[in-house]
Amino acid sequence: MELLISTGEVSGDIIGGHLARALYARCPDVSISGTGGFHMRTAGVEILYGTAHLGSAGITEPLATIPGLLRAFKAIFSRVREYTPSAVVLIGHDFFNLVLARLLKSRGILTFSYFPPQVWVWRCVAVPIARSYDRILTSFPEEHQVYHRAMGRATYVGHYLRDMIQEVDDPGRRDARKALGIGDDATVVALLPGSRTQEVGSLGPVLLDAAQLMVAANPSIRFVLPVSDRFLQATIERMAGERDLDPPPILTTNSMQAMAASDLTILCSGTATLEATLLGIPMIVLTAVSQVTWRVVNLLVQTGRMHSTTSGLPNLLAGRHIVPELIQYAARPDKLSTLALSILENPERRMQMRRDLRNVAAGLGEPGALDRAAAFILDHLRQG
């Protein structure tokens, strides 16, 4: 039984690795290859082309990754010519995987979408998106409703992070701080600039410049700066070294530990916001895209094709703003530092955020999402 998994960024690579392990656990003789990175390779997947560095969000942003995307297409179709996989699982990486799904589907290959395009952003095109796949596995209740209406072949499995992350308690926070060499009485802020080169390049300087302003107002604040993947490490270390932060940010590869240790997390919109939600960590969400993407988004909002410019998963899932967002031109160091300091100085506001985040986490389905996804895929493969 041959299976191909296609991902195109760090978060997709992580999901692909977890899914591969669940598939191997249920069917040890399944053969899995695909595009991804370190996490999928570690899970035993044969990597045809490394794509963890190709993640992008927006309309013009993917243009810079076109050469790499073309090489990824070439690697996939070179393998498809050698043998016809039983199915392909397409994880995230919206435009690339939409095109790939249609091409493979036209060859009679069964296509599964896992973590399809976010329908709260692209609700107006849910039907043509849904038609690109044979089956869609959904992780959020609202997402499932939209795709089920659009195609009738969507299956809700819940979110895999429910299996892996629990709300951090006081002992857990102390353990995380001890592992990072931080005292229990420190005020800790985690800075997560994202897992895409584009995000780190635009939001990394904003986060670090805001950190300088915050330290000037409160010298006791300690900053933790996770590096989401090794290909971003040099860039993040350079950015941190260019700022006069004393003491310097604590660099770590463990983003979960960094968030668990923090009183406040400031992070790029994306999967990390859901991780912070499940941990119950108060947060500020930042979003920055190209000017062309921003203008198109505003046009879609004005014409009613998008509900709002909101992009933070906790707010989208809650249906209201439970954590603050700084979007596009509002994502400035001065505004961010002022907002962050006001939250750190207001324990009741942080406590209310934790209560709201707990309610969001409770709506993410029962544990066992990865096993349900693996079982669904394998059952359909066996049915032919």
Side-chain angles (χ1 to χ4, degrees):
M1 189 182 299
E2 306 283 353
L3 185 64
L4 189 141
I5 297 177
S6 172
T7 74
E9 53 196 355
V10 175
S11 60
D13 177 41
I14 292 170
I15 297 166
H18 288 311
L19 178 63
R21 289 187 179 90
L23 289 163
Y24 286 133
R26 280 188 162 266
C27 183
D29 62 345
V30 66
S31 176
I32 308 176
S33 61
T35 56
F38 170 80
H39 298 278
M40 285 173 58
R41 183 179 292 108
T42 302
V45 177
E46 179 190 356
I47 300 299
L48 306 177
Y49 185 77
T51 54
H53 63 292
L54 297 180
S56 61
I59 296 169
T60 60
E61 291 84 345
L63 295 177
T65 66
I66 285 177
L69 296 177
L70 291 175
R71 287 191 287 272
F73 265 115
K74 183 178 178 180
I76 290 170
F77 279 95
S78 176
R79 176 54 64 92
V80 169
R81 281 192 293 270
E82 293 177 16
Y83 70 87
T84 300
S86 307
V88 58
V89 180
L90 306 116
I91 299 175
H93 208 203
D94 295 349
F95 183 73
F96 177 91
N97 274 338
L98 278 169
V99 174
L100 180 61
R102 286 188 172 249
L103 291 172
L104 295 178
K105 189 177 178 184
S106 69
R107 290 172 173 250
I109 298 172
L110 187 63
T111 56
F112 296 92
S113 177
Y114 191 30
F115 289 85
Q118 294 180 349
V119 291
W120 35 66
V121 177
W122 304 113
R123 185 185 299 265
C124 58
V125 290
V127 172
I129 287 175
R131 288 174 179 168
S132 301
Y133 311 105
D134 292 302
R135 297 288 188 274
I136 293 179
L137 302 176
T138 59
S139 302
F140 305 105
E142 183 182 4
E143 172 187 65
H144 177 70
Q145 292 170 12
V146 174
Y147 277 124
H148 186 71
R149 285 196 298 267
M151 73 180 299
R153 296 190 303 278
T155 299
Y156 179 64
V157 296
H159 204 287
Y160 78 100
L161 287 177
R162 283 281 282 163
D163 294 317
M164 303 176 183
I165 305 175
Q166 303 297 322
E167 183 175 358
V168 66
D169 55 14
D170 289 338
R173 183 171 290 104
R174 286 194 296 269
D175 289 344
R177 291 186 173 202
K178 182 178 180 181
L180 292 166
I182 302 173
D184 291 345
D185 57 347
T187 299
V188 181
V189 177
L191 307 174
L192 282 74
S195 60
R196 301 177 177 120
T197 303
Q198 153 213 336
E199 294 166 341
V200 172
S202 61
L203 293 178
V206 173
L207 290 172
L208 290 165
D209 289 345
Q212 284 187 301
L213 295 174
M214 292 169 67
V215 166
N218 183 351
S220 68
I221 297 176
R222 297 296 309 274
F223 293 96
V224 184
L225 183 56
V227 180
S228 61
D229 201 271
R230 286 177 291 184
F231 76 88
L232 294 169
Q233 185 167 345
T235 300
I236 291 175
E237 287 178 347
R238 175 182 55 77
M239 287 181 178
E242 290 171 351
R243 271 77 183 174
D244 185 23
L245 281 167
D246 185 23
I250 298 170
L251 298 182
T252 176
T253 58
N254 192 331
S255 61
M256 214 79 66
Q257 187 180 76
M259 289 189 284
S262 71
D263 298 289
L264 174 69
T265 290
I266 307 173
L267 70 176
C268 175
S269 176
T271 302
T273 63
L274 193 60
E275 295 171 347
T277 297
L278 290 165
L279 286 168
I281 305 299
M283 72 187 87
I284 300 172
V285 180
L286 305 186
T287 304
V289 293
S290 71
Q291 289 190 15
V292 172
T293 299
W294 181 242
R295 288 170 183 165
V296 171
V297 166
N298 275 288
L299 179 62
L300 292 172
V301 171
Q302 291 167 13
T303 57
R305 295 184 178 275
M306 283 178 62
H307 292 310
S308 73
T309 57
T310 298
S311 62
L313 279 172
N315 294 333
L316 291 166
L317 293 170
R320 60 188 179 89
H321 276 75
I322 61 174
V323 299
E325 291 189 44
L326 296 180
I327 301 173
Q328 201 64 5
Y329 305 115
R332 306 192 315 261
D334 57 341
K335 192 163 186 175
L336 174 57
S337 63
T338 299
L339 175 59
L341 288 169
S342 70
I343 294 172
L344 289 171
E345 294 165 0
N346 189 337
E348 177 51 39
R349 186 176 183 184
R350 297 201 306 276
M351 186 61 66
Q352 183 60 52
M353 278 194 213
R354 290 191 183 97
R355 287 192 289 265
D356 290 335
L357 293 171
R358 192 175 297 127
N359 290 333
V360 170
L364 291 176
E366 295 298 319
L370 284 165
D371 188 60
R372 285 192 292 273
F376 183 87
I377 292 167
L378 291 170
D379 285 348
H380 278 74
L381 289 178
R382 290 170 180 135
Q383 292 168 13

